[in-house]
C-alpha cells in the first residue's frame, strides 16, 4: 500500500492510473478503523481497479469540540488493517493540506430541509463541514466510485445532494451497516465506551429491531415515544427516536403499511453519542 500525505503527489499518481483506464474507488474515513470501514474497502476492491482510503479527522464537522478532541486515533493499527484488506493507497493529509486557506467555511451548501432534521438539527453546522471535506477530497482523488456506509444514513443523502449540487462525476455506492455479534453497529466511537456502557449500547439496535417487529399501519407517535422512554429509563440521553420516509427522510406521523420507512436513533451514553438506523421494508 502506498501512503501519500500531499494532495498534489496523490493527484499526480492517480492521474497516471486514470489515464491507463483504471477505475478509482474511494473510501473516506476518520480512522480508528473497524470491520465496517474494511467492508467498504473490500467492496471497493470488487468494483474498482484501484482503491484509495483516506484518514482525516475533519475539524470542521465537529460541532462539539470535546468530541473532536476525544475522537479515537489508532493510526498504526489502521495501516495494518488496510494493508491486510488489500487497500492500494492511503491518503493521510494534514489539516493545512486539506484547508490551505484555513478552516473557515468558504462555501455554503444549500442542503435544504435535510439540514434541519435529525443529525442536521442536533449537530448544527455538521453537514456543512462534511460537505466541505468531502468536496475537497473528491476534487483531490477524483474517484469514479465513492463508497459510503448506510450506518450514516442521513450523511449518505447529504453527500448525494452535494454531488448533485456540484456536478462532480462520481457514482456513490451505499454499503450495509456492519454490526458486532450482539447487534451493536460498529463505530469508532464504541472504543470510548467503558464495559458497562458497551453492554448497554446494544439497546439502541434492540430498540430499532423492536420498531421493525412491532410497527403497524396507523399513527406512529406512541411507538416513537415508548422507545424514547425506554432508552431514557435505561440511562441514555436521547436526541431522537424517529421513523422517517426511507427516500426523503421526512419524519412520519402515520404509516399506510406500504411506504418504505427507516427508523433512526441518536442517543448519548454519558459523553459518547451513538447513532444507528434500520430500514423498515414492508
Ligand atoms: P467514519 O470514519 O465514521 O467517518 O466513517 C467512514 C465511512 O465508514 C462512512 O461512510 C461510514 O458510514 C462508514 N461506516 C462507519 N461505520 C460503519 C459500519 N458499522 N458499517 C458500514 N460502514 C460504516
Amino acid at each position: 500500500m502506498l501512503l501519500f500525505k500531499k494532495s498534489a503527489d496523490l493527484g499526480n499518481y492517480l492521474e497516471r492510473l486514470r489515464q491507463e483506464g483504471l477505475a478509482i474507488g474511494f473510501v473516506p474515513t476518520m480512522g480508528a478503523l473497524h470491520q465496517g470501514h474494511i467492508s467498504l474497502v473490500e467492496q471497493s476492491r470488487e468494483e474498482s481497479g484501484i482503491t484509495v482510503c483516506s484518514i482525516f479527522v475533519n475539524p470542521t464537522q465537529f460541532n462539539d469540540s470535546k468530541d473532536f478532541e476525544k475522537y479515537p486515533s489508532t493510526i498504526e493499527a489502521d495501516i495494518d488493517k488496510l494493508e491486510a484488506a488489500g487497500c492500494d493507497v492511503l491518503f493521510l493529509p494534514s489539516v493545512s493540506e486539506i484547508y490551505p486557506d484555513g478552516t473557515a467555511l468558504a462555501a455554503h451548501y444549500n442542503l435544504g430541509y435535510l439540514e434541519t432534521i435529525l443529525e442536521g438539527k442536533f449537530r448544527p453546522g455538521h453537514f456543512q463541514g462534511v460537505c466541505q471535506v468531502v468536496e475537497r477530497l473528491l476534487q483531490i482523488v477524483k474517484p469514479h466510485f465513492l463508497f459510503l456506509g448506510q450506518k450514516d444514513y442521513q450523511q449518505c443523502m447529504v453527500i448525494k445532494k452535494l454531488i448533485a449540487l456540484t456536478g462532480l462525476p462520481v457514482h456513490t455506492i451505499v454499503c450495509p451497516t456492519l454490526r458486532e455479534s450482539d447487534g451493536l453497529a460498529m463505530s469508532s466511537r464504541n472504543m470510548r465506551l467503558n464495559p458497562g456502557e458497551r453492554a448497554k449500547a446494544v439497546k439502541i439496535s434492540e430498540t430499532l429491531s423492536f420498531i421493525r417487529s412491532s410497527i403497524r399501519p396507523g399513527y406512529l407517535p406512541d411507538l416513537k415515544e415508548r422507545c424514547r422512554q425506554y432508552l431514557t429509563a435505561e440511562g441514555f440521553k436521547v436526541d431522537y427516536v424517529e421513523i422517517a420516509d426511507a427516500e426523503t427522510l421526512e419524519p412520519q406521523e402515520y404509516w399506510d403499511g406500504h411506504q418504505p420507512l427507516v427508523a433512526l436513533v441518536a442517543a448519548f451514553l454519558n459523553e459518547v453519542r451513538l447513532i444507528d438506523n434500520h430500514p423498515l421494508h414492508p
Side-chain angles (χ1 to χ4, degrees), residues 10-235:
L10 176 64
N12 290 336
Y13 176 72
L14 292 176
E15 186 52 38
R16 281 204 299 281
L17 297 182
R18 203 175 290 110
Q19 279 174 9
E20 285 170 21
L22 280 185
I24 300 171
F26 181 39
V27 181
T29 80
M30 298 205 297
L33 300 183
H34 49 68
Q35 194 53 36
H37 297 113
I38 297 304
S39 73
L40 270 56
V41 170
E42 288 167 351
Q43 184 77 32
S44 173
R45 287 193 69 213
E46 277 180 27
E47 317 257 347
S48 330
I50 178 145
T51 292
V52 180
C53 176
S54 64
I55 296 181
F56 178 65
V57 184
N58 174 37
T60 71
Q61 72 186 69
F62 285 83
N63 55 312
D64 174 354
S65 56
K66 248 200 250 156
D67 189 27
F68 176 56
E69 283 156 23
K70 296 204 170 159
Y71 201 83
S73 171
T74 57
I75 193 66
E76 298 299 328
D78 291 355
I79 290 173
D80 290 348
K81 285 179 189 168
L82 289 172
E83 218 142 24
C87 182
D88 300 295
V89 172
L90 169 60
F91 183 39
L92 202 58
S94 63
V95 173
S96 60
E97 195 62 29
I98 294 295
Y99 300 119
D101 302 324
T103 52
L105 262 181
H108 180 267
Y109 300 88
N110 185 5
L111 302 173
Y113 78 96
L114 261 184
E115 215 178 356
T116 67
I117 53 168
L118 306 171
E119 293 300 284
K121 177 172 164 191
F122 285 94
R123 300 188 67 189
H126 168 62
F127 285 134
Q128 291 294 323
V130 168
C131 287
Q132 185 186 25
V133 74
V134 171
E135 184 180 11
R136 174 85 174 116
L137 289 169
L138 291 178
Q139 277 165 351
I140 295 167
V141 177
K142 298 190 181 67
H144 299 84
F145 303 115
L146 174 65
F147 295 86
L148 303 171
Q150 192 172 45
K151 154 87 169 31
D152 296 280
Y153 198 95
Q154 191 171 7
Q155 175 169 276
C156 293
M157 292 181 65
V158 163
I159 292 175
K160 284 182 183 170
K161 175 117 191 177
L162 165 75
I163 289 166
L165 287 172
T166 54
L168 286 164
V170 55
H171 180 67
T172 51
I173 298 175
V174 177
C175 306
T177 303
L178 258 76
R179 298 177 178 281
E180 304 290 352
S181 53
D182 64 353
L184 174 66
M186 290 183 183
S187 165
S188 305
R189 288 188 173 86
N190 294 350
M191 290 179 196
R192 292 182 54 201
L193 300 170
N194 67 33
E197 292 164 345
R198 168 62 188 85
K200 214 167 239 193
V202 68
K203 293 185 188 299
I204 291 182
S205 64
E206 285 174 1
T207 298
L208 291 164
S209 298
F210 173 76
I211 292 177
R212 177 142 63 192
S213 60
S214 56
I215 190 168
R216 299 284 178 270
Y219 286 94
L220 303 173
D222 284 355
L223 177 58
K224 295 188 224 178
E225 186 51 30
R226 193 169 151 199
C227 292
R228 168 187 275 278
Q229 281 177 14
Y230 168 73
L231 287 172
T232 305
E234 291 291 339

